[in-house]
Amino acid sequence: MRVLAELAALEGHEVLALDLFGDRDTRRAALDWTRIGDPSALRIDAALLLAALEALRAQGVEGWIAGSGFDGRTDLLAAGAQRLPLIGNDAETVARVRDPGAFFAALDAAGIAHPPVRRDWPDEREGWLVKDAAGSGGTHIVAAPRHSLRALSATTYLQRERPGVPMSATFVADGRDAVVLGCNEQIVQERHGWRFLYSGVIGPVPVAVAVLDQATHGVCSLVETFGLRGLGSLDFLLDGERIEVLELNARPPASVALYPQVGEGGPIEAHRQACRGEGLPTPRRAADTVRGSEIVFARAPLRLVERQLAWLALQPDVHDLPDLPWAWSPGEPICSVDAQGASATAVRDKLARRSDALLTSLETLA
C-alpha cells in the first residue's frame, strides 16, 4: 500500500489509504488512513474493509485500487467492488488468472514456455514444487518431498523446479493490448524455512531483444485471453535467452515503484486510464539508472520502542516505517531499503550492505 499511496500522491491525487499497518510513510502520503485488519494476522478483515469502502463511497471517492492482500480472495474483491468502484481487474478476471488449469492452458495455447505442471502426485516427488495459486510472496511454495500426502486443493498444483534467474515484466494493459514498461530481477532468498521467499526487486534491467520479445508476447497474449486491465506483472525464469513463465499478478505489483514515469505521467494515472479504456501510455526509453528495493527481515528477536522508531524514520532510503512499537520474530519483515546504481549487480550489493548495516544498528539500539 505504501508504494501505491506515495506514487498517487506524487501524481497529485488525493489519497485515502486502507491497509493493516499504517506505516509512517503511508500515512504521510495519505490524507487519511484506516486500518482494515489485525497486522499480526496478516489478513484483511472483510467487515472492516467493506465498512471502510462504504464510508469512502459516502464521501464521494472515485474508486479504489486493490493491492496484494487480495491474492486468493476474489470473493472479498467482488464484495468490495459492490461498495465502491474497483479500479482494476474484476474478481472474475482475477479468479480465471489464478486458476492453474485456465492459466497454463492459456500459455500452452499461445505457445508460451513454462515449467511442466501437473495436478496429481508423481511417483517420484524429487524435483517438483507444490504451489498455491492463491498465495503470494513465495510462502506458498513448498518442495514436494516435504509436502503432506493430502489431496491437492483447487488452487494448488505441482510445478517442475527449473534453473534460471527469477525475473518479472511490469506492464500496463487496456483489456486488449499492453505496454511492457521494463524487465526486473527479483530478489528471491531462502530464509527461515522458505526456499523461495520474495525479498525485493531491481529494475529496469537491460535484457536481450529476444528476451524482451518473449516477455512481451507472453504479456500481450495473456492480456488478450483474460481481458486484463491496468498495471500487472508477469513472473518468469530467465535461462540464457530463454524464458519460462511462472505466474501473473493481475494487480499493481511491487515493481511499479521502479517506474515513477510512465508515458507522459505516472503509473497510477496510466493504470486509471487503461482501466477506463482511455488508451495506453507511449513507452519511454529505458532509464540509465537502475533502482531497487529490498525487504529487511529480522534475523533475531527484536523489539523497537518509540526512540528506536524515531531513529529509523530519519535514516535515508528506508521505507515501510513502523508507526508503533512492535516486536518481530526472526524472519518477519521490519521495513525496506532502497538503492540506485548503474547496474543490477551494483544495486543488489548496495541493498545487501544497507540491509545488514541497518539490522546491526537496530539490534545495537535494542
Side-chain angles (χ1 to χ4, degrees), residues 69-99:
F70 295 89
D71 293 328
R73 300 191 69 186
T74 53
D75 56 337
L76 186 54
L77 200 62
Q82 292 175 353
R83 270 69 176 182
L84 187 69
L86 174 63
I87 306 173
N89 292 298
D90 61 25
E92 181 180 356
T93 300
V94 174
R96 290 178 61 217
V97 172
R98 289 279 170 177
D99 177 351

Side-chain angles (χ1 to χ4, degrees), residues 7-358:
L7 288 172
L10 284 173
E11 293 177 31
H13 298 291
E14 294 184 342
V15 180
L16 301 171
L18 313 176
D19 77 351
L20 304 181
F21 302 99
D23 290 337
R24 295 189 182 202
D25 27 8
T26 300
R27 294 190 179 200
R28 187 165 54 239
L31 297 177
D32 195 13
W33 169 78
T34 301
R35 188 184 299 280
I36 53 172
D38 181 357
S40 63
L42 293 178
R43 184 175 174 82
I44 295 171
D45 181 279
L48 291 177
L49 170 72
L50 298 180
L53 293 176
E54 290 272 15
L56 294 181
R57 181 175 65 178
Q59 297 175 41
V61 170
E62 171 190 337
W64 64 293
I65 300 175
S68 61
F70 295 89
D71 293 328
R73 300 191 69 186
T74 53
D75 56 337
L76 186 54
L77 200 62
Q82 292 175 353
R83 270 69 176 182
L84 187 69
L86 174 63
I87 306 173
N89 292 298
D90 61 25
E92 181 180 356
T93 300
V94 174
R96 290 178 61 217
V97 172
R98 289 279 170 177
D99 177 351
F103 180 72
F104 290 106
L107 294 181
D108 291 335
I112 301 168
H114 63 83
V117 296
R118 58 188 300 162
R119 297 298 305 280
D120 59 348
W121 291 107
D123 293 332
E124 176 54 57
R125 295 189 181 191
E126 198 65 41
W128 288 91
L129 303 172
V130 180
K131 294 188 172 184
D132 188 345
S136 63
T139 58
H140 62 297
I141 306 173
V142 180
R146 295 179 53 196
H147 201 277
S148 66
L149 288 172
R150 59 185 172 81
L152 298 174
S153 72
T155 59
T156 53
Y157 60 98
L158 287 98
Q159 187 173 70
R160 198 71 174 169
E161 187 171 358
R162 306 284 270 190
V165 178
M167 303 278 291
S168 68
T170 307
F171 66 87
V172 59
D174 65 0
R176 299 175 304 277
D177 199 4
V179 170
V180 172
L181 305 181
C183 291
N184 322 293
E185 286 189 16
Q186 295 187 336
I187 304 174
V188 177
Q189 300 173 331
E190 182 171 357
R191 289 177 179 270
H192 303 282
W194 303 109
R195 281 187 58 197
F196 304 97
L197 187 64
Y198 173 83
S199 302
V201 65
I202 299 170
V205 298
V207 296
V209 172
V211 173
L212 182 58
D213 287 347
Q214 291 173 75
T216 301
H217 170 61
V219 166
C220 292
S221 296
L222 294 170
V223 165
E224 184 177 10
T225 297
F226 293 107
L228 301 172
R229 293 180 180 273
L231 291 163
S233 67
L234 183 72
D235 292 351
F236 60 90
L237 292 172
L238 177 60
D239 188 10
E241 291 193 358
R242 183 174 187 271
I243 79 169
E244 287 192 319
V245 170
L246 299 175
E247 61 185 47
L248 184 143
N249 294 305
R251 54 162 173 78
S255 59
V256 71
L258 308 176
Y259 301 90
Q261 291 292 318
V262 176
E264 298 303 315
I268 302 303
E269 187 57 29
H271 177 79
R272 290 175 70 239
Q273 291 179 357
C275 289
R276 292 174 168 181
E278 297 175 358
L280 292 171
T282 301
R284 296 172 63 94
R285 186 181 68 84
D288 295 329
T289 300
V290 180
R291 304 169 184 265
S293 178
E294 182 172 355
I295 301 170
V296 179
F297 295 95
R299 56 191 179 192
L302 182 68
R303 178 173 179 80
L304 300 180
V305 297
E306 182 56 40
R307 175 176 59 86
Q308 290 104 339
L309 294 178
W311 176 87
L312 183 63
L314 295 175
Q315 304 312 300
D317 299 314
V318 178
H319 303 282
D320 303 303
L321 299 161
D323 189 54
L324 297 172
W326 196 261
W328 291 268
S329 299
E332 292 184 332
I334 303 170
C335 59
S336 64
V337 293
D338 286 0
Q340 297 184 16
S343 68
T345 299
V347 173
R348 188 182 291 269
D349 289 344
K350 283 184 181 180
L351 291 172
R353 291 197 301 271
R354 286 180 179 176
S355 178
D356 183 68
L358 187 64

